[in-house]
Amino acid sequence: MSTDATTTHLPDADVPESVRTAALEVLRRLVGREDAEFHPGQLEAISALVHDRQRALVVQRTGWGKSAVYFVAAQLRRQAGAGPALIVSPLLALMRDQVGAAERAGVRAVSMNSANAQEWDEVRAQLAADEVDVLLVSPERLNNPRFRDEQLPDLARRCGLVVVDEAHCISDWGHDFRPDYRRIRDLLAGLPQDTPVLATTATANSRVVADVVEQLGAGGHRVLTVRGSLARDSLRLGVLPKTSAERRLAWLAANLPSLTGSGIIYALTVSAAEDVAAALRDAGHEVRAYTGRTDTEDRARLEDALRRNEVKALVATSALGMGFDKPDLGFVVHLGAPSSPVAYYQQVGRAGRATDSADVVLLPGVEDRDIWAWFASSSMPRQEQADAVLTALAEAGRPLSVPALETIVDIRRTRLDLLLKVLDVDGAVSKVQGGWVGTGQPWTYDAERYERVAQARKDEQQHMLDYETTTGCRMEFLQRLLDDPSAKPCGRCDTCAGTWFATDIPDAAVTSASERLAQVGVEIEPRTQWPSGMGRLGVPVKGKIPPAEAVESGRALARLTDLGWGQRLREVLAEDQVVPQAVTRAAVGVLAGWGWLERPVGIVAMPARQRPQLVQSTAAHLAEVGRLPLLGTLDLADGGPIGEPGGNSAFRLANVWDRIVVGPELAQTLAQARGPVLLVDDVVHSRWSLAVAGRALRLAGAPAVLPFALALDG
């Protein structure tokens, strides 16, 4: 393999005139301007793809025009009689924007993704009739059995160009590594030798660049690397010193109107995004939440509202990231720091793409490290779990669906999906019609590799903390972490030019934010359906939970991820203790505002192995304040619930089935109950313990069960 790495564009004389003329014509049609010209490096990459039929990696800042390179190259290849371009693109927002841009330029672009399944047959017909110039697919689509077997071989044979967008996802070292992207290596290996390939990214350091180039060059291909400066002259970076959630929310409420135009407020968790959006709306700001829980149609509507400046901001998780395009986005504020400066650079790069100035402010929180640790723990495969999945598939002798696997291996759905993807790209399992099968290929857990990646993630977290406290230029700091040789002081950030944003927070705003975050009470939705396949685990239930055995909708003080009470509850739950008075006062407030149809006639405590004192004292205090009898505590049979936190629903139900029981004394009391009982717990994880406990109470005579917990984890 040979590589040609350069950060400068070729002189015009080195690009064939025919390529330049044709490319410029397509570019001007694409952007709708007759005076449009290429940025340095764009024409070089286009010529490499169209004229030289080679492979190229383009590492350029957001807004440089990477999509123009592949749309122009795709159209020129089509004009030369080649088949459609295949673009592997990670996010639906990116696909929507790219399809729209292509249509404006007269490029026939279509997509196949999870949001438009109803259009797939039409897309297949268009491909068969050669009526498509550009096909955009998600990396997950590459392993869809029907697409992989019926569409991909023909596409690979005749496509005129393959594009891997957000190519840092290919690399273990990329800030947003995705197992599905590793399938692209197999796609590239199966292409005809002269099929040009383009990989693009805005966020890659030297290690990621080398990794991607190695993968692109497999098989002896020459790879051109076009890398430019990653400095963003329009961005003005700043960091507010670490402070409480109340003061950060107050800063937002007080300063949002002064931020130019419309923008994005990033939060680290779904609940934080929803809470902040609600608080800012209550303060009179036109904002909306945008998270992984937002419906696909609502996402498109919210993105359009932001583009049209109909909202001041979207309060978003990383779900609004790569691919969202609003050139005049005026600001990006982070309420809590991402776990990597590279990921941070990628998100702030949404702002100021077509404006002279855009404001970027980071409001770090004390809870950031805990959140980073949680996400890190769920992103790496574990050997014992991988071995369990491979054994289950080998013994089944037939395809197993994910729900069927969940009754054999105790792995939570999200982690199981990730693990199957990793095993798939490693060749140990394969997705087929009806589920997953083992391939019989030997597979070894690469502990050394995962340890290296885990250490790299820890290093990135420390770099993020260093960014928050650096006394040097913040843009230069980010550039150096991306190994940008042109890194130099920007002259605009708060360390170069002085603090440019308000640091004094009005007392009224702090008071209002404190009152908002002091609000307590979230619903605990009752389980309504038993997991499928429970018979395999010896639990004789299926279908809907009978109304006579179900609990009512419950309440918790807060989610552990909430900005306000979430952090306080983490501290309370750190040790077994008598419940603090502040917590019981808040709990009484939740009960007072519950609005139940019938007041409970007594209180029952859940059995607790980890925090018995906390649960018992909470139940006792609520009984005393509410002047209700403390009826007793449920018993644990056979040692009580087992299994690790975070396991899947089937195993979590099996682990507590018939192990939370009503003892003789409590049964006698319940037999005389004439109304609902309040069931008190400390933390609710999967809700199956509550479901089983409630079922036991209902079968023992309780007319209704109202669950109450201090915290909801999830």
Side-chain angles (χ1 to χ4, degrees):
M1 180 195 75
S2 62
T3 65
D4 176 19
T6 178
T7 60
T8 61
H9 66 292
L10 293 174
D12 287 347
D14 291 340
V15 174
E17 188 60 31
S18 59
V19 174
R20 173 179 168 76
T21 301
L24 197 57
E25 180 182 343
V26 175
L27 173 71
R28 289 172 175 174
R29 189 165 66 244
L30 180 69
V31 300
R33 286 175 44 207
E34 288 301 315
D35 61 343
E37 295 288 345
F38 285 108
H39 296 312
Q42 287 181 317
L43 191 56
E44 172 192 12
I46 292 169
S47 181
L49 296 166
V50 175
H51 184 263
D52 302 328
R53 305 281 188 87
Q54 70 177 95
R55 297 185 174 187
L57 169 63
V58 172
V59 183
Q60 295 282 0
R61 66 184 182 275
T62 302
W64 174 82
K66 295 182 289 293
S67 61
V69 170
Y70 53 72
F71 275 133
V72 171
Q75 192 69 341
L76 292 180
R77 293 285 289 135
R78 286 291 278 167
Q79 290 174 6
L86 176 65
I87 300 177
V88 183
S89 183
L91 292 181
L92 299 183
L94 189 62
M95 291 189 189
R96 286 193 293 267
D97 285 350
Q98 289 171 328
V99 169
E103 290 174 348
R104 291 191 295 273
V107 178
R108 296 172 297 182
V110 296
S111 66
M112 295 181 75
N113 57 65
S114 59
N116 71 340
Q118 71 281 0
E119 302 172 9
W120 291 354
D121 287 339
E122 181 182 349
V123 170
R124 292 187 187 99
Q126 290 174 309
L127 287 168
D130 198 26
E131 297 174 349
V132 173
D133 297 322
V134 173
L135 172 65
L136 295 101
V137 300
S138 65
E140 293 82 2
R141 190 61 33 207
L142 298 178
N143 202 43
N144 174 273
R146 186 175 176 186
F147 181 83
R148 181 190 63 207
D149 298 336
E150 298 178 10
Q151 302 293 136
L152 197 54
D154 180 61
L155 274 172
R157 177 183 57 81
R158 66 186 184 91
C159 68
L161 172 69
V162 172
V163 178
V164 182
D165 207 3
E166 306 297 348
H168 59 272
C169 296
I170 291 177
S171 174
D172 284 346
W173 312 110
H175 73 271
D176 198 22
F177 165 72
R178 300 183 182 191
D180 290 300
Y181 260 73
R182 294 176 63 195
R183 297 191 178 102
I184 294 171
R185 293 181 300 187
D186 296 333
L187 169 64
L188 298 183
L191 294 174
Q193 191 71 12
D194 65 346
T195 302
V197 176
L198 172 66
T200 69
T201 181
T203 48
N205 57 24
S206 295
R207 182 163 52 176
V208 173
V209 168
D211 194 3
V212 175
V213 166
E214 182 179 1
Q215 295 184 52
L216 290 178
H221 291 277
R222 181 172 177 266
V223 180
L224 169 73
T225 301
V226 180
R227 185 168 188 177
S229 171
L230 298 178
R232 295 293 306 277
D233 294 340
S234 62
L235 299 185
R236 188 166 57 161
L237 304 176
V239 177
L240 190 75
K242 194 169 290 183
T243 187
S244 67
E246 290 83 359
R247 294 186 65 81
R248 282 179 285 148
L249 182 57
W251 187 94
L252 268 176
N255 291 283
L256 189 56
S258 64
L259 296 174
T260 302
S262 56
I264 300 172
I265 300 168
Y266 278 109
L268 296 185
T269 66
V270 170
S271 59
E274 293 173 345
D275 291 347
V276 170
L280 292 177
R281 281 200 306 274
D282 288 348
H285 301 293
E286 191 62 31
V287 302
R288 293 292 183 272
Y290 184 112
T291 75
R293 286 206 290 246
T294 305
D295 292 338
T296 300
E297 291 184 2
D298 288 338
R299 290 191 188 195
R301 178 179 56 79
L302 291 171
E303 291 163 15
D304 288 341
L306 182 57
R307 287 192 189 92
R308 295 193 297 265
N309 299 316
E310 295 173 355
V311 293
K312 180 66 177 179
L314 293 182
V315 185
T317 62
S318 58
L320 183 64
M322 292 182 295
F324 176 73
D325 184 19
K326 176 178 167 59
D328 64 340
L329 196 76
F331 62 89
V332 171
V333 176
H334 279 79
L335 193 70
S339 60
S340 158
V342 182
Y344 182 65
Y345 174 87
Q346 188 269 329
Q347 290 181 345
V348 301
R350 305 262 69 81
R353 295 173 59 175
T355 60
D356 293 333
S357 179
D359 293 334
V360 173
V361 185
L362 171 62
L363 312 178
V366 295
E367 71 279 7
D368 293 351
R369 289 191 193 218
D370 289 340
I371 296 172
W372 298 344
W374 187 89
F375 282 117
S377 69
S378 62
S379 63
M380 293 287 180
R382 287 161 45 181
Q383 180 167 6
E384 70 275 13
Q385 293 182 336
D387 291 342
V389 168
L390 293 175
T391 299
L393 293 176
E395 292 177 349
R398 59 181 176 82
L400 291 178
S401 65
V402 171
L405 270 171
E406 284 184 313
T407 65
I408 303 172
V409 295
D410 186 11
I411 308 174
R412 194 171 183 174
R413 175 69 61 92
T414 52
R415 184 182 284 273
L416 180 57
D417 285 337
L418 177 65
L419 179 56
L420 286 167
K421 289 178 181 179
V422 171
L423 293 173
D424 184 17
V425 298
D426 285 346
V429 304
S430 179
K431 189 175 185 180
V432 298
Q433 294 291 343
W436 294 86
V437 295
T439 63
Q441 296 287 335
W443 182 83
T444 302
Y445 182 79
D446 194 345
E448 182 181 351
R449 171 187 161 214
Y450 290 123
E451 287 173 7
R452 290 198 314 268
V453 173
Q455 185 58 52
R457 296 290 183 262
K458 291 179 182 177
D459 293 342
E460 290 170 351
Q461 293 175 9
Q462 184 57 52
H463 290 156
M464 196 67 226
L465 297 174
D466 294 341
Y467 172 82
E468 295 171 11
T469 59
T470 184
T471 57
C473 172
R474 297 196 192 277
M475 181 58 74
E476 182 182 22
F477 186 98
L478 295 176
Q479 286 179 265
R480 290 197 184 284
L481 285 174
L482 285 161
D483 297 318
D484 183 353
S486 68
K488 61 181 180 181
C490 69
R492 296 178 307 281
C493 68
D494 57 350
T495 55
C496 284
T499 302
W500 47 266
F501 51 87
T503 56
D504 293 333
I505 306 173
D507 291 341
V510 175
T511 300
S512 178
S514 298
E515 291 174 351
R516 174 73 197 191
L517 295 182
Q519 294 178 11
V520 289
V522 294
E523 182 182 9
I524 303 174
E525 295 183 1
R527 290 285 188 178
T528 59
Q529 186 96 7
W530 300 116
S532 59
M534 290 307 302
R536 295 190 188 96
L537 294 174
V539 179
V541 293
K542 62 180 180 179
K544 292 184 178 180
I545 299 176
E549 299 177 10
V551 300
E552 304 297 316
S553 171
R555 296 292 186 274
L557 277 187
R559 299 181 186 89
L560 287 177
T561 53
D562 287 349
L563 280 179
W565 268 95
Q567 188 62 33
R568 300 185 207 178
L569 289 171
R570 286 177 184 275
E571 296 172 359
V572 171
L573 295 167
E575 59 179 306
D576 189 24
Q577 60 179 301
V578 174
V579 62
Q581 289 187 353
V583 175
T584 54
R585 285 196 298 269
V588 170
V590 173
L591 299 182
W594 193 322
W596 42 50
L597 296 177
E598 187 177 356
R599 189 175 189 271
V601 299
I603 294 178
V604 175
M606 283 285 284
R609 291 180 301 164
Q610 288 186 312
R611 307 178 192 89
Q613 187 176 200
L614 181 62
V615 175
Q616 289 291 335
S617 60
T618 299
H621 282 306
L622 292 180
E624 180 181 357
V625 173
R627 298 181 180 178
L628 294 171
L630 184 57
L631 303 178
T633 301
L634 289 160
D635 292 339
L636 291 176
D638 298 328
I642 59 174
E644 65 177 55
N648 65 49
S649 281
F651 270 83
R652 297 198 77 164
L653 174 58
N655 285 334
V656 296
W657 185 255
D658 281 345
R659 292 183 176 175
I660 303 177
V661 299
V662 176
E665 293 185 11
L666 180 57
Q668 186 175 1
T669 303
L670 286 172
Q672 302 176 20
R674 295 293 181 266
V677 296
L678 188 71
L679 179 61
V680 175
D681 203 357
D682 53 355
V683 186
V684 172
H685 297 285
S686 68
R687 294 172 288 148
W688 287 118
S689 292
L690 286 182
V692 170
R695 175 178 180 271
L697 291 170
R698 294 295 307 275
L699 294 177
V705 176
L706 302 166
F708 173 81
L710 298 180
L712 180 60
D713 185 12

